């Protein structure tokens, strides 16, 4: 009934206000029940033993898998005509070549069978894509919504917002760049053509590189919009790399490039080869060399690698597991030797004679298990 | 033994008489102490029938020994009567009025006139009023003394009352041998007299030290600081001359520092504060010694950290003292609220000082030490993860963790466990243990918040843990096909989750008391990061924020086996390092509370409260006066535990057990 409800409501809430909950009382009175963990050496030994087993059980498969990854790396920036030039001349050569680039060739000798998919990765040494100013030079609204999003005029992309650094009527849209920022501006523009032949055999087989699905699906679907590039690396004198001609979220190479590498030496996925490579094959890499790493003494390499269940070739993780597993066993063993065998010192469990103010007692005097009937002492002390 | 010596101690109604020259030395040639006279002794010669009899001869006096003994510690009045002739009184009164308005030797004249009346008295009776202490004061003081706390009694009462109270609360064990530092008010040169008394007391203390340690030293400052034996009483009149003179003050401080009990009586409010200041200055001087410059500053700094002065009082005249000391505790009593209004802590009973210091003090120290170290630890760990990365990005300042995640690290992911720790954690499950074992209060053995432990646990460990949480992810990321997580944002997620696990495991490992609440929040603090990683980018997308540091990063990172392997090994490594260190500490150099915890655990296995098991009759009494009742053990469980079953008559008490 509504009337009785409204009658009982005030009295009920008043009673509730007065009565503290059981939990609240226990909390403020420091009476919450709890468990005091005891760090006994025995538990630690068992723990470290188990950790050792666990680490080795994981580490060995990880390491084996990583060791079984077949990876070949060929540095190509000094290949061909670039070999004997100093860095100024190397740059001159690149600039002179224009859009075509300088065609150089390197060969990769495959000594172990590689099963598909074989990943083609390019590596730029000393690239420092993780430099703060470089990472910051990125405007997500610009790349998702197009130039309209840039109306505020303030952009993280500065000074890579306009082709000439300021609005300029000589260019469409006042020369506003899409995608803006230094990451985009420095887009990698070397291209590769691969072919494989048997050692001693003459007939070379074309190795098509599949670049269809190398960027993150999330970048394609959420981060970047289907907007077309504008004023992007269109002026040869001002450009840092290639242009983008498809809608942004369909240019896989651009999307890969836009994720700045964590390490100074940037490794970027270029594509996939969907056919196996037998041992004793030679892969010829034709590189249209356009990207200028000569100005900062960088290095460019091409990597062919297979993949394992833990990823590419990296013995570090597996080794860490094995080392930590070994150290855990070492810890268990040294605790056992020093404590349980009593080589260093073994103390009685809960031995009150070890209390700092009981220094006059002999160790073991206050052992818990030895109790006398004498109730006069603070704790029953009986010589063992 | 001279009869008079048994009359020493107790309250006297005429203190100036007690300050006369020492009637008899102690055989050692040292002129202290002088006897205190009880009121009955002073009155006895004035009684009509006792004119020519020795003071305390029990066979002759109604004020016999048993009576005197029973008056110890009481405020006594002896009442006598004498009938005066009216003319005689008129004449006497005229002379009295004249003496009272005299400018010369008024006290002497009044005394002489008083003597004329107070003679040939008929004894009417003796009143004895007990100046009742609050409940549990002796037990509280005993507990504090056991805890290694030096206790002084500073009072405005008369010397005899003060000593009496000190005796009854066990601050002074032997009133017969107490050193009295009392200068006669009639002395011409009180400062010289005070100096003489101080020298005599110091000589006596040195002799006691030589006797007890077998080592003879020339001056008192060569005696170890921790050695205390003699008890001393000083009064406000004497303090007047001592506190104004630097040389005398330092002598008093040195002497008092080697006294196990000190009673200051008849002190004014400013003297109470002065004594506190004097001893603070002395302690500072002691630790600095001859150090100069930076070393002197460091010694003073350390002393400021290591020792504190606490004043406790209930009256308005204690206010200055409460405010001078580091900590002032006011007792809410019948003497108004002045003391509590000017104190840092207010309690209602003196004995509550024991839980305030031993339980709350201990816990507060332990919790704050951990809170401070952990707060530094988790922030330094975070900062160093970011710092290490600078070596790899040209010191450009690129943050490994995006700013929103960095903000929630401190506010959401790591704040609650340490706050709960600082509210709930305790090294022993049963807090009564602290009162039962007052020595646990002594922090000299326990290096919880020393400079070294701070740098080790708060800083060095943080640097190491940060290295693990940065370098393992940094060198483990590798192109891994479709889930290649080599970009700076993915590395940030790896390092962040590894770091979060590390700092939460750290607080879980140092916790000594796991409540359900704590466990839940430790688990939540860590595991919330996964929903956060999944949901936060969706929220951003919902708000049209296209954040390259978050959108899509988590789903790729979480799908990569590298991520999970890195998290596991980072946390195993940092936890293992700390776990091994803590276990080694626990096994090889256990703190007192660790042993206590083991003991508690063992008792719990036997189905008992461990205090119940360990408490002696004496401790039970002490704890009971402090308001802590520990239930007696059931007799049959005792029997079952202590002796093999043997045929006894049903209901017969066990012969080895004290009566219940």
């Amino acid at each position: 009934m509504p009337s009785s409800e409204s009658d009982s409501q005030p009295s009920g809430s008043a009673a509730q206000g007065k009565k503290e909950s059981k939990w609240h009382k226990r909390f403020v009175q420091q009476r919450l029940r709890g468990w005091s963990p005891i760090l006994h050496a025995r538990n630690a030994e068992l723990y470290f033993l188990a950790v050792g087993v666990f680490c080795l059980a994981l580490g060995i498969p990880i390491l084996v898998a990583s060791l079984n990854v077949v990876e070949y790396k060929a540095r190509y920036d000094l290949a061909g005509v670039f070999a004997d030039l100093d860095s100024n001349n190397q740059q001159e050569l690149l600039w002179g070549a224009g859009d075509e680039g300088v065609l150089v060739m390197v060969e990769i000798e495959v000594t172990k069978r590689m099963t598909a998919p074989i990943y083609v990765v390019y590596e730029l040494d000393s690239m420092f894509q993780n430099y703060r100013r470089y990472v910051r030079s990125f405007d997500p609204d610009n790349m998702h919504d197009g130039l309209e999003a840039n109306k505020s005029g303030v952009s993280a992309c500065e000074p890579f917002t306009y082709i000439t650094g300021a609005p300029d009527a000589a260019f469409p849209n006042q020369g506003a760049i899409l995608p803006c920022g230094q990451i985009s501006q420095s887009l990698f523009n070397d291209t590769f053509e691969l072919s494989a032949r048997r050692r001693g055999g003459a007939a070379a087989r074309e190795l098509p590189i599949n670049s269809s699905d190398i960027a993150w699906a999330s970048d394609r679907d959420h981060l970047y919009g289907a907007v077309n590039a504008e004023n992007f690396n269109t002026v040869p004198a001002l450009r840092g790399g290639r242009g983008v001609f498809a809608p942004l979220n369909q240019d896989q190479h651009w999307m890969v490039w836009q994720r700045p590498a964590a390490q100074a030496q940037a490794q970027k996925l270029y594509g996939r080869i969907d056919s196996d490579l037998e041992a004793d094959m030679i892969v010829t890499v034709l590189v249209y060399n356009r990207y200028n790493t000569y100005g900062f003494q960088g290095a460019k390499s091409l990597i062919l690698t297979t993949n394992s269940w833990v990823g590419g070739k990296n013995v570090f993780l597996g080794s860490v597991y094995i080392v930590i597993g070994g150290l855990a066993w070492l810890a268990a063993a040294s605790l056992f030797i020093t404590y349980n065998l009593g080589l260093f010192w073994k103390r009685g469990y809960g031995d009150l004679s070890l209390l700092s103010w009981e220094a006059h007692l002999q160790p073991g005097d206050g052992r818990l298990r030895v109790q006398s009937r004498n109730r006069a002492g603070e704790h029953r002390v009986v010589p063992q | 033994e001279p009869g008079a010596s048994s009359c020493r101690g107790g309250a006297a109604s005429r203190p100036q008489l007690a300050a006369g020259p020492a009637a008899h030395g102690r055989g050692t040639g040292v002129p202290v102490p002088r006897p205190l006279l009880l009121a009955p002794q002073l009155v006895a010669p004035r009684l009509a029938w006792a004119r020519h009899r020795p003071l305390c001869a029990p066979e002759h006096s109604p004020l016999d020994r048993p009576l005197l003994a029973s008056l110890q510690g009481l405020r006594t009045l002896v009442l006598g009567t004498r009938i005066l002739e009216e003319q005689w009184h008129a004449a006497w009164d005229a002379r009295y009025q004249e003496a009272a308005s005299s400018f010369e030797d008024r006290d002497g004249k009044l005394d002489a006139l008083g003597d004329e009346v107070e003679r040939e008295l008929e004894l009417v009776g003796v009143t004895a009023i007990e100046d009742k202490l609050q409940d549990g004061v002796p037990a509280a003081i005993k507990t504090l003394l056991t805890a290694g706390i030096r206790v002084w009694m500073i009072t405005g009462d008369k010397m005899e009352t003060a000593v009496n109270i000190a005796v009854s609360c066990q601050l002074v064990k032997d009133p017969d041998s107490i050193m009295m530092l009392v200068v006669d008010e009639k002395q011409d040169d009180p400062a010289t007299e005070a100096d003489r008394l101080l020298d005599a007391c110091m000589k006596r203390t040195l002799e006691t030290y030589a006797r007890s340690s077998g080592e003879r030293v020339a001056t008192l400052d060569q005696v170890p600081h921790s050695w205390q034996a003699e008890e001393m009483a000083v009064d406000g009149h004497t303090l007047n001359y001592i506190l104004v003179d630097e040389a005398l003050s330092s002598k008093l401080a040195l002497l008092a520092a080697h006294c196990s009990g000190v009673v200051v009586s008849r002190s004014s409010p400013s003297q109470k504060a002065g004594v506190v200041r004097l001893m603070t200055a002395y302690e500072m001087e002691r630790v600095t010694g001859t150090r100069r410059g930076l070393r002197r500053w460091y010694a003073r700094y350390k002393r400021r950290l290591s020792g504190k002065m606490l004043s406790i009082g209930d009256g308005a005249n204690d206010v200055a003292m409460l405010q001078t000391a580091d900590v002032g505790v006011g007792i809410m009593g019948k003497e108004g609220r002045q003391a509590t209004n000017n104190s840092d802590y207010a309690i209602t009973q003196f004995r509550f000082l024991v839980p305030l210091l031993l339980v709350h003090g201990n816990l507060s120290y332990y919790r704050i030490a951990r809170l401070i170290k952990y707060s530094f630890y988790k922030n330094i760990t975070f900062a160093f993860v970011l710092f290490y990365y600078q070596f790899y990005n040209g010191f450009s300042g690129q943050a490994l963790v995006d700013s929103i995640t960095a903000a929630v690290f401190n506010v959401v992911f790591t704040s609650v466990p340490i706050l709960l720790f600082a509210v709930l954690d305790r090294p022993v499950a049963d807090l009564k243990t602290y009162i039962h074992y007052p020595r646990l209060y002594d922090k000299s053995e326990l290096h919880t918040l020393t400079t070294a432990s701070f740098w080790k646990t708060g800083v060095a460990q943080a640097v190491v843990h940060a290295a693990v949480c940065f370098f393992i992810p940094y060198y483990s990321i590798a192109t891994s096909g479709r889930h290649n997580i080599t970009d700076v944002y993915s590395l940030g997620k790896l390092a962040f989750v590894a770091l979060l696990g590390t700092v939460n495991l750290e607080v879980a490992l140092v916790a000594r008391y796991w409540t359900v609440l704590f466990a839940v929040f430790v688990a939540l603090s860590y595991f919330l990061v996964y929903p956060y990683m999944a949901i936060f980018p969706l929220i951003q997308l919902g708000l049209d924020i296209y954040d390259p540091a978050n959108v899509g990063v988590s789903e790729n990172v979480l799908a990569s086996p590298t991520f999970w392997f890195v998290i596991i090994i980072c946390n195993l490594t940092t936890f293992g390092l700390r776990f091994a260190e803590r276990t080694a500490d626990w096994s090889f150099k256990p703190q007192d509370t660790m042993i206590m915890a083991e003991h508690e655990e063992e008792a719990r296995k036997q189905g008992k409260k461990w205090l119940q098991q360990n408490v002696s009759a004496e401790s039970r009494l002490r704890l009971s006066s402090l308001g802590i009742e520990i239930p007696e053990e059931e007799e049959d469980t005792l029997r079952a535990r202590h002796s093999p079953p043997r045929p006894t008559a049903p209901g017969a008490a066990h012969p080895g057990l004290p009566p219940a």
Side-chain angles (χ1 to χ4, degrees):
Chain A
M1 280 160 71
S3 65
S4 73
E5 204 179 292
S6 62
D7 283 349
S8 66
Q9 195 63 35
S11 67
S13 66
Q16 251 185 357
K18 268 185 194 170
K19 191 189 158 203
E20 285 173 347
S21 83
K22 184 180 76 181
W23 280 97
H24 177 262
K25 197 168 176 187
R26 279 194 192 156
F27 180 75
V28 295
Q29 294 296 325
Q30 300 275 317
R31 285 197 188 128
L32 281 181
R33 287 199 197 95
W35 164 66
S36 304
I38 308 283
L39 298 189
H40 198 268
R42 182 195 58 225
N43 298 345
E45 284 156 23
L46 291 177
Y47 169 79
F48 283 121
L49 209 61
V51 165
V53 171
F54 175 80
C55 284
L56 293 182
L58 265 181
I60 293 173
I62 291 174
L63 189 63
V64 168
S66 187
L67 288 174
N68 282 337
V69 168
V70 184
E71 184 188 276
Y72 297 105
K73 178 171 162 181
R75 182 173 175 180
Y76 67 82
D77 60 324
L78 297 180
V81 287
F82 292 93
D84 305 322
L85 302 176
D86 66 5
S87 64
N88 282 337
N89 290 331
Q90 286 164 339
Q91 292 187 78
E92 294 288 345
L93 185 60
L94 274 191
W95 291 330
D99 282 350
E100 273 304 303
V102 183
L103 187 66
V104 296
M105 192 193 76
V106 285
E107 288 192 335
I108 294 172
E109 214 168 314
V110 178
T111 51
K112 265 172 143 181
R113 185 166 190 279
M114 300 174 87
T115 48
I118 300 165
Y119 291 92
V120 180
V121 175
Y122 58 91
E123 180 187 297
L124 304 175
D125 205 8
S126 305
M127 180 63 201
F128 281 99
Q129 252 202 327
N130 55 10
Y131 196 82
R132 185 174 67 94
R133 298 289 299 264
Y134 186 91
V135 175
R136 247 164 56 108
S137 190
F138 181 98
D139 186 346
D141 292 338
N142 171 295
M143 292 164 213
H144 189 271
D145 298 333
L147 287 176
E148 294 77 43
N150 234 355
K151 283 284 157 46
S152 68
V154 180
S155 167
C157 289
E158 289 291 347
F160 295 96
T161 316
Y162 292 94
I163 288 186
T164 54
D168 189 339
F171 299 99
N173 279 323
Q174 305 275 323
I177 303 173
L178 176 83
C180 68
Q182 196 184 6
I183 308 181
S184 296
Q185 193 260 357
S186 59
L187 177 58
F188 184 74
N189 58 357
D190 287 356
T191 48
F192 308 98
E193 283 173 15
L194 304 186
S195 58
R197 63 182 156 83
R198 285 213 167 272
R199 178 184 291 278
R205 169 168 68 94
E206 187 95 351
L207 286 179
I209 301 176
N210 177 358
S211 311
S212 63
D213 201 15
I214 54 174
W216 289 358
S218 58
D219 284 357
R220 182 191 64 210
D221 298 339
H222 304 301
L223 194 57
Y224 304 117
V227 289
N228 288 306
E230 293 200 44
N231 295 320
F232 179 63
N233 281 345
T234 47
V235 179
L238 297 173
R239 71 183 179 189
R242 78 171 163 87
V244 170
F245 304 103
L248 290 185
N249 66 356
Q250 288 170 30
D251 191 326
Q252 297 277 333
H253 288 300
W254 176 79
M255 285 191 285
V256 169
W257 182 256
Q258 287 290 91
R259 292 230 153 254
Q263 294 165 339
Q265 159 198 304
Q267 282 196 359
K268 296 277 174 188
L269 191 57
Y270 187 79
R272 250 187 348 263
I273 301 169
D274 291 323
S275 57
D276 293 355
L277 285 174
E278 302 301 325
D280 276 351
M281 286 190 106
I282 290 171
V283 176
T284 308
V285 184
L286 282 181
V287 185
Y288 294 89
N289 189 353
R290 308 181 185 98
Y291 200 69
N292 185 1
T293 54
Y294 304 102
F296 56 87
Q297 279 81 47
K300 299 192 284 189
S301 313
L302 191 78
I303 297 169
L304 295 184
T305 176
T306 59
N307 241 233
S308 70
W309 58 284
V310 281
K313 185 138 195 139
N314 188 352
V315 294
F316 181 79
L317 188 57
S319 316
V320 167
Y321 263 88
I322 290 169
V323 169
I324 296 297
L327 287 178
W329 275 356
L330 195 68
S334 39
L335 264 179
F336 182 77
I337 291 168
T338 53
Y339 188 80
N340 285 48
L341 294 185
L343 285 192
F344 185 43
W345 183 44
K346 183 174 169 60
R347 69 180 180 86
Y349 187 70
D351 184 350
L352 289 183
S353 68
L354 297 173
L355 294 172
S356 58
W357 61 86
E358 302 280 24
H360 59 280
L361 294 178
Q362 292 298 311
D365 278 355
R367 289 293 295 280
L368 182 76
R369 291 186 178 82
V370 189
Q371 285 166 338
S372 78
R373 241 177 274 142
N374 169 26
R375 305 185 73 209
E378 283 290 298
H379 45 79
R380 292 148 206 144
V381 173
V382 167
Q384 278 180 308
Chain B
E1 192 186 22
S5 69
S6 66
C7 297
R8 268 188 248 123
S13 54
R14 302 274 298 272
Q16 62 269 35
L17 285 183
H24 36 264
R26 293 187 53 76
T28 58
V30 181
V32 283
R34 68 196 64 204
L36 292 171
L37 296 178
L38 270 173
Q41 295 163 243
L42 298 167
V43 176
R46 301 173 187 279
L47 297 179
W49 43 265
R51 224 170 302 165
H52 303 297
R53 291 181 189 157
L55 277 181
C56 293
E59 63 274 22
H60 300 301
S61 168
L63 298 171
D64 56 1
R65 259 194 199 180
L67 177 63
L68 288 174
S70 70
L71 294 179
Q72 289 252 350
L74 303 177
R75 289 188 171 176
T76 53
L77 288 175
V78 178
L79 307 177
T81 179
R82 181 183 159 205
I83 298 176
L84 305 177
E85 305 276 321
E86 200 170 343
Q87 295 93 332
W88 187 91
H89 176 260
W92 179 86
D93 192 44
R95 284 194 293 143
Y96 187 84
Q97 296 300 338
E98 190 191 322
S101 55
S102 149
F103 288 101
E104 280 175 14
D105 191 24
R106 182 168 50 195
D107 290 346
K109 284 178 184 166
L110 288 178
D111 273 356
L113 282 167
D115 266 352
E116 283 180 29
V117 178
E118 293 170 358
R119 58 182 57 187
E120 309 282 323
L121 298 168
E122 291 286 334
L123 180 65
V124 172
V126 181
T127 67
I129 301 170
E130 189 182 0
D131 189 9
K132 210 165 174 243
L133 287 170
Q134 285 182 340
D135 283 345
V137 173
I141 288 187
K142 191 179 175 208
T143 309
L144 296 179
L145 289 171
T146 319
I149 297 170
R150 312 272 319 277
V151 181
W152 286 37
M153 191 176 103
I154 309 178
T155 171
D157 281 348
K158 286 175 294 197
M159 173 66 83
E160 293 71 24
T161 317
V163 170
N164 255 335
I165 294 171
V167 169
S168 62
C169 64
Q170 300 195 0
L171 186 57
V172 168
K173 270 123 215 144
D174 182 9
D176 287 350
S177 66
I178 190 166
M179 299 192 295
M180 307 288 289
L181 202 59
V182 178
V183 172
D184 197 332
E185 279 174 29
K186 289 175 186 147
Q187 271 283 340
D188 297 333
D189 191 358
T192 319
E193 172 66 9
D195 193 24
R196 194 186 64 76
L197 281 174
L198 278 169
D199 285 340
C201 291
M202 286 172 115
K203 199 172 158 216
R204 176 171 151 193
T205 309
L206 280 175
E207 272 167 21
T208 313
Y209 177 69
R211 261 203 311 283
S212 71
S213 70
E215 181 192 355
R216 198 160 275 281
V217 291
T219 55
L220 209 49
D221 44 16
Q222 288 161 290
V223 173
H225 175 67
S226 56
W227 182 86
Q228 284 129 15
E230 295 286 344
E231 288 150 352
M232 185 174 78
V234 56
D235 78 338
H237 173 68
T238 315
L239 271 184
N240 267 342
Y241 304 105
I242 294 180
L243 286 180
V244 293
D245 186 318
E246 206 170 306
L248 292 185
S249 301
S250 57
K251 270 187 188 176
L252 175 71
L254 183 61
L255 182 63
H258 288 101
C259 287
S260 57
V262 178
V263 177
V264 182
S265 61
R266 288 226 139 172
S267 51
S268 66
S270 66
Q271 279 176 339
K272 290 182 179 183
V275 169
V276 172
R277 259 195 301 276
L278 172 68
M279 290 318 287
T280 312
Y282 165 77
E283 286 294 328
M284 276 294 177
E285 204 49 49
R286 186 179 66 77
V287 294
T288 52
T290 56
R291 293 189 183 90
R292 287 290 168 267
L294 208 60
R295 291 184 62 219
R296 178 186 164 82
W297 172 85
Y298 184 64
R300 289 175 70 89
Y301 163 77
K302 275 184 73 173
R303 164 68 208 176
R304 223 168 278 138
L305 294 183
S306 67
K308 294 280 174 225
M309 189 92 63
L310 179 144
S311 296
I312 177 165
D314 64 347
N317 50 10
D318 297 322
V319 168
M321 179 180 73
L322 294 180
Q323 291 183 332
T324 307
D326 297 309
V327 183
V329 179
I331 302 177
M332 289 185 267
K334 292 173 184 145
E335 301 197 29
R337 296 192 56 88
Q338 283 296 321
T340 50
N341 287 349
N342 288 284
S343 61
D344 302 306
Y345 296 91
I347 54 182
T348 52
Q349 298 249 333
F350 180 83
R351 64 182 165 129
F352 295 160
L353 187 61
V354 170
L356 179 66
L357 289 179
L358 298 195
V359 179
H360 297 280
N362 253 323
L363 287 181
S364 169
Y365 180 87
Y366 166 79
R367 289 166 177 178
I368 283 192
R370 279 271 171 244
L371 174 69
I372 290 173
K373 285 195 287 190
Y374 183 77
S375 301
F376 273 88
Y377 161 81
K378 74 182 168 103
N379 283 289
I380 291 175
T381 316
F382 186 78
F384 260 79
V385 165
L386 303 190
F387 173 69
Y388 288 131
Y389 190 44
Q390 302 310 310
F391 289 95
Y392 296 91
N393 62 31
F395 279 95
S396 61
Q398 174 59 38
L400 198 52
V401 180
D402 67 286
S403 47
I404 302 269
T405 312
V408 291
F409 172 77
N410 253 331
V411 179
V412 178
F413 289 126
T414 59
S415 61
V416 185
I418 188 60
L419 288 182
L420 280 177
F421 180 102
V423 170
L424 295 173
D425 205 73
R426 50 179 81 162
V428 287
D430 192 346
L431 295 180
K432 295 186 197 91
T433 308
Y434 279 129
I435 298 178
H436 185 216
Y437 290 97
R439 295 290 292 268
L440 285 173
Y441 188 73
D442 186 9
K443 292 288 172 286
S444 53
E445 294 290 319
L446 195 144
H447 307 290
T448 312
L449 192 58
T450 57
T451 311
S453 96
F454 169 76
W455 281 92
K456 180 173 143 268
T457 316
V459 181
Q461 176 182 260
V463 171
V464 172
H465 284 189
V468 171
C469 293
F470 172 75
F471 288 105
I472 292 182
Y474 184 84
Y475 285 108
S476 295
I477 52 170
T479 51
S480 51
R482 284 206 52 211
H483 298 297
N484 95 61
I485 48 170
T486 55
D487 66 309
V488 54
Y489 306 120
S490 303
L491 177 64
K493 292 276 182 266
L494 255 73
F496 181 74
V497 178
L499 181 68
L500 202 56
T502 295
V503 297
N504 276 313
L505 283 173
E506 161 77 11
V507 72
L509 187 56
V510 296
R512 300 276 297 274
Y513 193 69
W514 276 73
T515 55
V516 174
L517 198 62
F518 178 73
V520 164
F521 273 98
V522 167
L524 272 184
S525 292
Y526 177 65
F527 288 109
L528 260 185
V529 76
Y530 296 108
Y532 165 80
M533 283 169 74
I535 293 169
F536 185 64
L538 300 181
I539 296 172
Q540 284 189 321
L541 281 179
L543 297 172
D544 286 343
I545 297 169
Y546 308 104
D547 180 3
N550 281 305
V551 172
V553 176
S554 303
E555 62 181 82
N556 285 284
V557 165
L558 293 177
S560 162
T562 310
F563 168 80
W564 297 102
F565 291 138
V566 164
I567 299 306
I568 290 170
I569 196 64
C570 283
N571 291 347
L572 281 180
T573 308
T574 51
F575 181 79
L577 282 172
R578 188 76 168 122
F579 189 46
E581 185 210 330
R582 299 262 305 164
T583 306
D585 270 3
W586 198 295
S587 300
F588 297 122
K589 43 170 189 167
Q591 294 169 2
D592 293 331
T593 51
M594 295 174 176
I595 298 167
M596 296 281 179
E598 287 180 355
H599 221 97
E600 271 181 332
E601 159 91 7
E602 200 64 25
R604 206 161 29 239
K605 274 187 198 153
Q606 295 179 7
K608 304 226 165 42
K609 293 234 162 83
W610 89 287
L611 274 181
Q612 206 170 322
Q613 226 177 17
N614 281 280
V615 73
S616 65
E618 189 194 349
S619 290
R620 187 184 299 278
L621 201 63
R622 179 171 64 84
L623 291 174
S624 152
S625 355
L626 291 173
I628 297 170
E629 299 295 344
I630 294 175
E632 293 269 356
E633 269 183 289
E634 294 289 323
E635 212 162 85
D636 50 342
T637 64
L638 260 184
R639 193 180 309 142
R641 190 150 53 80
H642 289 316
S643 59
R646 86 172 78 145
T648 40
H654 193 283
L657 290 176

